[in-house]
Short mmCIF file of all heavy atoms in Angstrom, two decimals:
data_model
loop_
_atom_site.label_atom_id
_atom_site.label_comp_id
_atom_site.label_asym_id
_atom_site.label_seq_id
_atom_site.Cartn_x
_atom_site.Cartn_y
_atom_site.Cartn_z
N THR E 178 151.39 256.92 -49.05
CA THR E 178 152.02 256.43 -47.81
C THR E 178 151.69 257.33 -46.62
O THR E 178 151.97 256.98 -45.49
CB THR E 178 153.55 256.34 -47.96
OG1 THR E 178 154.08 257.67 -48.13
CG2 THR E 178 153.95 255.47 -49.13
N ASP E 179 151.14 258.53 -46.90
CA ASP E 179 150.79 259.42 -45.81
C ASP E 179 149.45 259.00 -45.22
O ASP E 179 148.40 259.56 -45.54
CB ASP E 179 150.70 260.87 -46.30
CG ASP E 179 152.07 261.45 -46.59
OD1 ASP E 179 153.07 260.88 -46.13
OD2 ASP E 179 152.13 262.48 -47.29
N PHE E 180 149.48 258.04 -44.34
CA PHE E 180 148.25 257.55 -43.72
C PHE E 180 147.76 258.61 -42.73
O PHE E 180 148.47 258.98 -41.80
CB PHE E 180 148.49 256.22 -43.00
CG PHE E 180 147.30 255.77 -42.22
CD1 PHE E 180 146.19 255.24 -42.87
CD2 PHE E 180 147.27 255.89 -40.84
CE1 PHE E 180 145.08 254.84 -42.15
CE2 PHE E 180 146.16 255.49 -40.11
CZ PHE E 180 145.07 254.96 -40.77
N ARG E 182 145.46 259.84 -39.79
CA ARG E 182 144.74 259.25 -38.67
C ARG E 182 143.24 259.50 -38.77
O ARG E 182 142.81 260.57 -39.18
CB ARG E 182 145.25 259.83 -37.34
CG ARG E 182 146.74 259.67 -37.08
CD ARG E 182 147.06 260.10 -35.63
NE ARG E 182 146.35 261.26 -35.20
CZ ARG E 182 146.85 262.51 -35.24
NH1 ARG E 182 148.05 262.73 -35.70
NH2 ARG E 182 146.13 263.53 -34.81
N VAL E 257 142.04 288.96 -40.86
CA VAL E 257 142.46 287.85 -39.98
C VAL E 257 143.15 286.76 -40.80
O VAL E 257 144.14 286.17 -40.37
CB VAL E 257 141.24 287.28 -39.22
CG1 VAL E 257 141.59 285.96 -38.54
CG2 VAL E 257 140.73 288.27 -38.18
N THR E 258 142.64 286.52 -42.00
CA THR E 258 143.23 285.47 -42.83
C THR E 258 144.61 285.84 -43.35
O THR E 258 145.53 285.02 -43.31
CB THR E 258 142.30 285.17 -44.04
OG1 THR E 258 141.01 284.81 -43.56
CG2 THR E 258 142.86 284.05 -44.91
N TYR E 282 131.48 289.27 -34.22
CA TYR E 282 132.92 289.29 -34.50
C TYR E 282 133.58 288.02 -33.98
O TYR E 282 134.34 287.36 -34.70
CB TYR E 282 133.56 290.53 -33.83
CG TYR E 282 135.06 290.63 -34.03
CD1 TYR E 282 135.59 291.35 -35.10
CD2 TYR E 282 135.95 290.00 -33.16
CE1 TYR E 282 136.97 291.44 -35.29
CE2 TYR E 282 137.32 290.07 -33.35
CZ TYR E 282 137.82 290.79 -34.41
OH TYR E 282 139.18 290.86 -34.60
N SER E 294 142.39 276.41 -40.52
CA SER E 294 143.26 275.34 -40.05
C SER E 294 143.02 274.05 -40.83
O SER E 294 143.97 273.30 -41.11
CB SER E 294 143.10 275.10 -38.54
OG SER E 294 141.86 274.52 -38.26
N HIS E 300 146.53 271.81 -47.44
CA HIS E 300 147.59 272.46 -48.21
C HIS E 300 148.96 271.85 -47.86
O HIS E 300 149.75 271.53 -48.75
CB HIS E 300 147.58 273.96 -47.91
CG HIS E 300 148.79 274.69 -48.40
ND1 HIS E 300 149.06 274.88 -49.74
CD2 HIS E 300 149.84 275.26 -47.73
CE1 HIS E 300 150.19 275.54 -49.88
NE2 HIS E 300 150.69 275.77 -48.68
N ALA E 301 149.21 271.69 -46.56
CA ALA E 301 150.52 271.16 -46.14
C ALA E 301 150.76 269.76 -46.70
O ALA E 301 151.90 269.41 -47.00
CB ALA E 301 150.60 271.15 -44.61
N GLY E 303 149.50 268.66 -49.52
CA GLY E 303 149.35 268.65 -50.98
C GLY E 303 148.01 268.13 -51.45
O GLY E 303 147.90 267.63 -52.58
N GLY E 330 143.36 294.94 -20.61
CA GLY E 330 144.71 294.37 -20.59
C GLY E 330 144.76 292.89 -20.89
O GLY E 330 145.83 292.30 -20.96
N GLN E 331 143.59 292.25 -21.07
CA GLN E 331 143.59 290.80 -21.36
C GLN E 331 143.19 290.51 -22.80
O GLN E 331 143.75 289.61 -23.43
CB GLN E 331 142.63 290.07 -20.41
CG GLN E 331 142.98 290.20 -18.94
CD GLN E 331 144.36 289.65 -18.62
OE1 GLN E 331 144.75 288.59 -19.07
NE2 GLN E 331 145.14 290.43 -17.86
N TRP E 333 140.77 292.35 -26.49
CA TRP E 333 139.88 293.41 -27.00
C TRP E 333 138.44 293.01 -26.82
O TRP E 333 137.57 293.84 -26.61
CB TRP E 333 140.10 293.60 -28.51
CG TRP E 333 141.48 293.96 -28.91
CD1 TRP E 333 142.41 294.63 -28.16
CD2 TRP E 333 142.10 293.69 -30.18
NE1 TRP E 333 143.56 294.79 -28.89
CE2 TRP E 333 143.40 294.23 -30.13
CE3 TRP E 333 141.68 293.05 -31.34
CZ2 TRP E 333 144.28 294.15 -31.20
CZ3 TRP E 333 142.55 292.96 -32.41
CH2 TRP E 333 143.84 293.51 -32.34
N ASN E 360 144.83 282.90 -21.74
CA ASN E 360 143.98 283.82 -22.50
C ASN E 360 143.54 283.24 -23.83
O ASN E 360 142.46 283.55 -24.32
CB ASN E 360 144.73 285.14 -22.74
CG ASN E 360 144.73 286.01 -21.50
OD1 ASN E 360 143.96 285.78 -20.57
ND2 ASN E 360 145.60 287.00 -21.47
N SER E 379 141.63 271.06 -32.29
CA SER E 379 142.98 271.14 -31.73
C SER E 379 143.44 269.81 -31.13
O SER E 379 144.61 269.44 -31.22
CB SER E 379 143.03 272.24 -30.67
OG SER E 379 144.34 272.54 -30.32
N GLN E 382 144.57 267.84 -34.23
CA GLN E 382 145.70 268.39 -34.99
C GLN E 382 146.93 268.59 -34.11
O GLN E 382 148.06 268.46 -34.58
CB GLN E 382 145.31 269.75 -35.60
CG GLN E 382 144.27 269.64 -36.71
CD GLN E 382 143.95 270.98 -37.34
OE1 GLN E 382 144.21 272.03 -36.75
NE2 GLN E 382 143.38 270.95 -38.53
N GLU E 393 154.80 263.72 -22.69
CA GLU E 393 154.85 262.46 -23.45
C GLU E 393 153.68 262.49 -24.42
O GLU E 393 152.57 262.82 -24.04
CB GLU E 393 154.72 261.25 -22.51
CG GLU E 393 155.78 261.17 -21.42
CD GLU E 393 157.17 260.89 -21.97
OE1 GLU E 393 157.27 260.41 -23.12
OE2 GLU E 393 158.15 261.19 -21.26
N ALA E 397 153.69 260.66 -33.79
CA ALA E 397 154.92 260.16 -34.40
C ALA E 397 156.09 261.12 -34.18
O ALA E 397 157.24 260.77 -34.43
CB ALA E 397 154.70 259.94 -35.90
N ARG E 400 157.31 265.75 -28.19
CA ARG E 400 156.80 267.07 -27.80
C ARG E 400 157.74 268.20 -28.23
O ARG E 400 157.28 269.26 -28.65
CB ARG E 400 156.58 267.10 -26.28
CG ARG E 400 155.88 268.33 -25.78
CD ARG E 400 154.46 268.41 -26.29
NE ARG E 400 153.82 269.68 -26.00
CZ ARG E 400 153.15 269.94 -24.87
NH1 ARG E 400 152.99 269.00 -23.96
NH2 ARG E 400 152.61 271.11 -24.68
N SER E 401 159.05 267.98 -28.15
CA SER E 401 159.94 269.07 -28.57
C SER E 401 159.85 269.30 -30.08
O SER E 401 159.94 270.44 -30.55
CB SER E 401 161.38 268.82 -28.12
OG SER E 401 161.83 267.57 -28.56
N GLN E 402 159.64 268.24 -30.84
CA GLN E 402 159.47 268.40 -32.29
C GLN E 402 158.16 269.14 -32.59
O GLN E 402 158.10 270.01 -33.46
CB GLN E 402 159.47 267.02 -32.97
CG GLN E 402 160.83 266.32 -32.93
CD GLN E 402 160.77 264.91 -33.49
OE1 GLN E 402 159.94 264.11 -33.05
NE2 GLN E 402 161.63 264.60 -34.44
N ARG E 409 157.90 277.79 -34.86
CA ARG E 409 158.32 278.33 -36.18
C ARG E 409 157.12 278.94 -36.92
O ARG E 409 157.23 280.01 -37.51
CB ARG E 409 158.98 277.22 -37.01
CG ARG E 409 159.57 277.70 -38.32
CD ARG E 409 160.76 278.64 -38.10
NE ARG E 409 161.20 279.26 -39.34
CZ ARG E 409 161.41 280.57 -39.49
NH1 ARG E 409 161.26 281.40 -38.48
NH2 ARG E 409 161.81 281.06 -40.64
N ASN E 414 154.48 283.99 -38.58
CA ASN E 414 153.27 284.83 -38.53
C ASN E 414 153.45 286.04 -37.62
O ASN E 414 152.50 286.80 -37.42
CB ASN E 414 152.08 284.01 -38.04
CG ASN E 414 151.49 283.12 -39.12
OD1 ASN E 414 151.19 283.59 -40.21
ND2 ASN E 414 151.36 281.83 -38.85
N GLU E 415 154.64 286.17 -37.04
CA GLU E 415 154.95 287.26 -36.11
C GLU E 415 153.93 287.34 -34.98
O GLU E 415 153.43 288.41 -34.62
CB GLU E 415 155.06 288.61 -36.83
CG GLU E 415 156.19 288.62 -37.84
CD GLU E 415 156.79 290.00 -38.06
OE1 GLU E 415 156.16 290.99 -37.67
OE2 GLU E 415 157.90 290.06 -38.62
N PHE E 417 153.26 287.18 -31.24
CA PHE E 417 153.97 287.33 -29.98
C PHE E 417 153.48 286.31 -28.97
O PHE E 417 154.24 285.82 -28.15
CB PHE E 417 153.73 288.75 -29.46
CG PHE E 417 154.49 289.07 -28.20
CD1 PHE E 417 155.86 289.24 -28.23
CD2 PHE E 417 153.83 289.22 -26.99
CE1 PHE E 417 156.57 289.54 -27.07
CE2 PHE E 417 154.53 289.52 -25.83
CZ PHE E 417 155.90 289.69 -25.88
N TYR E 418 152.21 285.99 -29.04
CA TYR E 418 151.62 285.12 -28.03
C TYR E 418 152.28 283.74 -28.06
O TYR E 418 152.55 283.12 -27.06
CB TYR E 418 150.11 284.99 -28.24
CG TYR E 418 149.42 284.36 -27.04
CD1 TYR E 418 149.01 285.14 -25.97
CD2 TYR E 418 149.21 283.01 -26.98
CE1 TYR E 418 148.40 284.57 -24.87
CE2 TYR E 418 148.60 282.41 -25.88
CZ TYR E 418 148.20 283.21 -24.83
OH TYR E 418 147.59 282.64 -23.74
N MET M 278 156.86 276.53 -24.62
CA MET M 278 156.65 275.08 -24.52
C MET M 278 157.82 274.32 -25.12
O MET M 278 158.12 273.21 -24.70
CB MET M 278 155.34 274.70 -25.23
CG MET M 278 154.09 275.21 -24.55
SD MET M 278 153.97 274.83 -22.79
CE MET M 278 153.66 273.08 -22.84
N SER M 282 159.77 271.52 -23.10
CA SER M 282 159.87 270.13 -23.57
C SER M 282 161.32 269.70 -23.72
O SER M 282 161.67 268.54 -23.49
CB SER M 282 159.10 269.94 -24.88
OG SER M 282 159.58 270.79 -25.88
N TYR M 285 162.43 268.92 -20.29
CA TYR M 285 161.81 267.66 -19.87
C TYR M 285 162.57 266.46 -20.44
O TYR M 285 162.81 265.47 -19.76
CB TYR M 285 160.35 267.62 -20.34
CG TYR M 285 159.63 266.33 -20.03
CD1 TYR M 285 159.01 266.15 -18.79
CD2 TYR M 285 159.58 265.29 -20.95
CE1 TYR M 285 158.35 264.97 -18.49
CE2 TYR M 285 158.93 264.11 -20.66
CZ TYR M 285 158.31 263.95 -19.44
OH TYR M 285 157.67 262.76 -19.16
N ILE M 295 163.54 278.87 -33.96
CA ILE M 295 162.18 279.41 -34.06
C ILE M 295 162.16 280.65 -34.97
O ILE M 295 161.30 280.78 -35.82
CB ILE M 295 161.64 279.77 -32.65
CG1 ILE M 295 161.34 278.49 -31.89
CG2 ILE M 295 160.39 280.63 -32.76
CD1 ILE M 295 160.87 278.74 -30.47
N THR M 296 163.12 281.54 -34.76
CA THR M 296 163.11 282.78 -35.56
C THR M 296 163.95 282.67 -36.83
O THR M 296 163.66 283.32 -37.82
CB THR M 296 163.62 283.96 -34.72
OG1 THR M 296 164.83 283.58 -34.07
CG2 THR M 296 162.59 284.39 -33.70
N LEU M 307 165.49 266.56 -32.70
CA LEU M 307 165.64 265.52 -33.73
C LEU M 307 164.88 265.90 -35.01
O LEU M 307 163.69 266.23 -34.95
CB LEU M 307 165.11 264.19 -33.17
CG LEU M 307 165.31 262.95 -34.05
CD1 LEU M 307 166.80 262.63 -34.26
CD2 LEU M 307 164.58 261.75 -33.45
N GLU M 317 158.11 276.09 -42.91
CA GLU M 317 158.37 277.28 -43.75
C GLU M 317 157.75 277.10 -45.14
O GLU M 317 157.13 278.03 -45.67
CB GLU M 317 159.89 277.50 -43.88
CG GLU M 317 160.52 277.98 -42.59
CD GLU M 317 162.02 277.71 -42.53
OE1 GLU M 317 162.61 277.34 -43.56
OE2 GLU M 317 162.58 277.85 -41.43
N ALA M 319 155.27 275.22 -45.99
CA ALA M 319 153.80 275.23 -45.91
C ALA M 319 153.26 276.65 -45.85
O ALA M 319 152.20 276.96 -46.37
CB ALA M 319 153.34 274.43 -44.70
N LEU M 327 157.17 272.83 -51.32
CA LEU M 327 156.42 272.14 -50.26
C LEU M 327 156.52 270.62 -50.44
O LEU M 327 156.73 269.89 -49.47
CB LEU M 327 154.96 272.62 -50.27
CG LEU M 327 154.02 272.02 -49.25
CD1 LEU M 327 154.56 272.16 -47.83
CD2 LEU M 327 152.64 272.68 -49.34
N ARG M 331 158.20 268.01 -47.82
CA ARG M 331 157.50 266.81 -47.33
C ARG M 331 158.35 265.56 -47.56
O ARG M 331 158.49 264.72 -46.67
CB ARG M 331 156.17 266.63 -48.07
CG ARG M 331 154.98 267.31 -47.44
CD ARG M 331 153.66 266.75 -47.97
NE ARG M 331 153.58 266.69 -49.41
CZ ARG M 331 153.10 267.66 -50.19
NH1 ARG M 331 152.67 268.77 -49.65
NH2 ARG M 331 153.06 267.53 -51.51
N ARG M 335 159.75 263.10 -44.74
CA ARG M 335 159.32 261.70 -44.82
C ARG M 335 160.52 260.76 -44.84
O ARG M 335 160.52 259.70 -44.21
CB ARG M 335 158.45 261.49 -46.07
CG ARG M 335 157.65 260.20 -46.08
CD ARG M 335 156.83 260.06 -47.35
NE ARG M 335 155.74 261.01 -47.42
CZ ARG M 335 155.65 262.00 -48.32
NH1 ARG M 335 156.60 262.18 -49.24
NH2 ARG M 335 154.63 262.82 -48.31
N SER M 340 156.32 258.71 -42.79
CA SER M 340 155.08 259.32 -43.28
C SER M 340 154.21 259.87 -42.15
O SER M 340 153.59 260.93 -42.28
CB SER M 340 154.27 258.30 -44.06
OG SER M 340 154.95 257.96 -45.23
N GLN M 341 154.14 259.11 -41.05
CA GLN M 341 153.26 259.56 -39.97
C GLN M 341 153.74 260.87 -39.36
O GLN M 341 152.93 261.70 -38.93
CB GLN M 341 153.16 258.47 -38.89
CG GLN M 341 151.96 258.60 -37.99
CD GLN M 341 150.64 258.65 -38.77
OE1 GLN M 341 150.34 257.72 -39.53
NE2 GLN M 341 149.89 259.73 -38.62
N ASP M 345 151.57 264.23 -38.83
CA ASP M 345 151.47 264.87 -37.52
C ASP M 345 152.01 266.30 -37.55
O ASP M 345 151.45 267.20 -36.91
CB ASP M 345 152.20 264.04 -36.46
CG ASP M 345 151.45 262.76 -36.12
OD1 ASP M 345 150.31 262.59 -36.62
OD2 ASP M 345 151.97 261.92 -35.37
N GLY M 348 149.49 268.55 -39.07
CA GLY M 348 148.46 268.88 -38.09
C GLY M 348 148.89 270.03 -37.19
O GLY M 348 148.10 270.94 -36.92
N ALA M 351 148.84 273.28 -39.14
CA ALA M 351 147.44 273.71 -39.31
C ALA M 351 146.91 274.30 -38.02
O ALA M 351 146.25 275.35 -38.01
CB ALA M 351 146.59 272.52 -39.74
N ASN M 352 147.19 273.64 -36.91
CA ASN M 352 146.70 274.09 -35.62
C ASN M 352 147.22 275.48 -35.28
O ASN M 352 146.48 276.34 -34.79
CB ASN M 352 147.11 273.11 -34.52
CG ASN M 352 146.46 273.43 -33.20
OD1 ASN M 352 145.28 273.23 -33.03
ND2 ASN M 352 147.23 273.96 -32.27
N GLN M 354 148.35 277.74 -37.37
CA GLN M 354 147.79 278.75 -38.27
C GLN M 354 146.47 279.26 -37.69
O GLN M 354 146.06 280.38 -37.96
CB GLN M 354 147.55 278.14 -39.67
CG GLN M 354 148.82 277.90 -40.45
CD GLN M 354 149.33 279.18 -41.10
OE1 GLN M 354 149.55 280.19 -40.45
NE2 GLN M 354 149.52 279.15 -42.40
N ARG M 355 145.81 278.40 -36.92
CA ARG M 355 144.57 278.82 -36.25
C ARG M 355 144.89 279.62 -34.99
O ARG M 355 144.34 280.69 -34.76
CB ARG M 355 143.72 277.60 -35.89
CG ARG M 355 142.45 277.97 -35.12
CD ARG M 355 141.56 276.75 -34.87
NE ARG M 355 142.18 275.79 -34.01
CZ ARG M 355 142.67 274.62 -34.41
NH1 ARG M 355 142.57 274.25 -35.66
NH2 ARG M 355 143.25 273.80 -33.56
N ARG M 358 145.95 283.24 -35.19
CA ARG M 358 144.86 284.13 -35.61
C ARG M 358 143.83 284.34 -34.49
O ARG M 358 143.21 285.40 -34.41
CB ARG M 358 144.19 283.58 -36.88
CG ARG M 358 145.09 283.76 -38.10
CD ARG M 358 144.54 283.08 -39.32
NE ARG M 358 145.30 283.43 -40.51
CZ ARG M 358 146.43 282.84 -40.89
NH1 ARG M 358 146.94 281.84 -40.17
NH2 ARG M 358 147.07 283.22 -41.98
N ASP M 361 145.70 286.93 -32.28
CA ASP M 361 145.76 288.26 -32.90
C ASP M 361 144.36 288.82 -33.13
O ASP M 361 144.14 290.03 -32.99
CB ASP M 361 146.52 288.19 -34.23
CG ASP M 361 148.02 287.96 -34.03
OD1 ASP M 361 148.53 288.36 -32.96
OD2 ASP M 361 148.66 287.40 -34.92
N GLY M 362 143.42 287.98 -33.50
CA GLY M 362 142.07 288.45 -33.80
C GLY M 362 141.31 288.88 -32.56
O GLY M 362 140.49 289.80 -32.62
N ALA M 363 141.56 288.21 -31.43
CA ALA M 363 140.87 288.58 -30.19
C ALA M 363 141.66 289.62 -29.40
O ALA M 363 141.18 290.14 -28.41
CB ALA M 363 140.62 287.35 -29.33
N ILE M 365 144.38 289.24 -27.58
CA ILE M 365 144.74 288.83 -26.22
C ILE M 365 146.18 289.21 -25.90
O ILE M 365 147.03 289.31 -26.79
CB ILE M 365 144.54 287.31 -25.99
CG1 ILE M 365 145.35 286.48 -26.98
CG2 ILE M 365 143.07 286.96 -26.04
CD1 ILE M 365 145.32 285.00 -26.68
N SER M 366 146.41 289.42 -24.63
CA SER M 366 147.78 289.71 -24.18
C SER M 366 148.39 288.42 -23.64
O SER M 366 147.71 287.44 -23.41
CB SER M 366 147.76 290.78 -23.10
OG SER M 366 147.07 290.28 -21.97
N ASP M 368 149.78 285.91 -21.09
CA ASP M 368 149.49 285.63 -19.69
C ASP M 368 150.74 285.92 -18.85
O ASP M 368 151.85 285.60 -19.26
CB ASP M 368 149.10 284.16 -19.52
CG ASP M 368 147.99 283.77 -20.49
OD1 ASP M 368 148.33 283.37 -21.62
OD2 ASP M 368 146.83 283.90 -20.14
N ARG M 379 162.49 285.81 -25.19
CA ARG M 379 161.73 286.73 -26.05
C ARG M 379 162.62 287.91 -26.44
O ARG M 379 162.62 288.36 -27.58
CB ARG M 379 160.51 287.28 -25.30
CG ARG M 379 159.39 286.32 -25.23
CD ARG M 379 158.23 286.82 -24.39
NE ARG M 379 157.30 285.73 -24.25
CZ ARG M 379 156.42 285.38 -25.18
NH1 ARG M 379 156.34 286.06 -26.29
NH2 ARG M 379 155.63 284.36 -25.00
N SER M 389 152.46 292.57 -32.63
CA SER M 389 151.50 292.06 -31.64
C SER M 389 152.04 292.13 -30.21
O SER M 389 151.29 291.98 -29.25
CB SER M 389 151.11 290.62 -31.97
OG SER M 389 152.24 289.80 -32.11
#
Side-chain angles (χ1 to χ4, degrees):
Chain E
T178 66
D179 287 344
F180 174 75
R182 303 189 320 264
V257 168
T258 303
Y282 179 93
S294 71
H300 168 69
Q331 299 300 316
W333 301 333
N360 283 344
S379 192
Q382 291 183 340
E393 302 293 341
R400 188 65 189 271
S401 54
Q402 292 174 306
R409 186 66 189 130
N414 282 308
E415 298 209 345
F417 184 71
Y418 193 86
Chain M
M278 292 309 289
S282 58
Y285 177 86
I295 289 177
T296 48
L307 186 64
E317 289 159 11
L327 180 54
R331 270 198 310 269
R335 195 180 291 114
S340 293
Q341 200 56 57
D345 288 354
N352 188 72
Q354 287 279 55
R355 177 176 65 254
R358 287 173 171 83
D361 289 333
I365 57 173
S366 64
D368 308 88
R379 282 175 188 280
S389 54

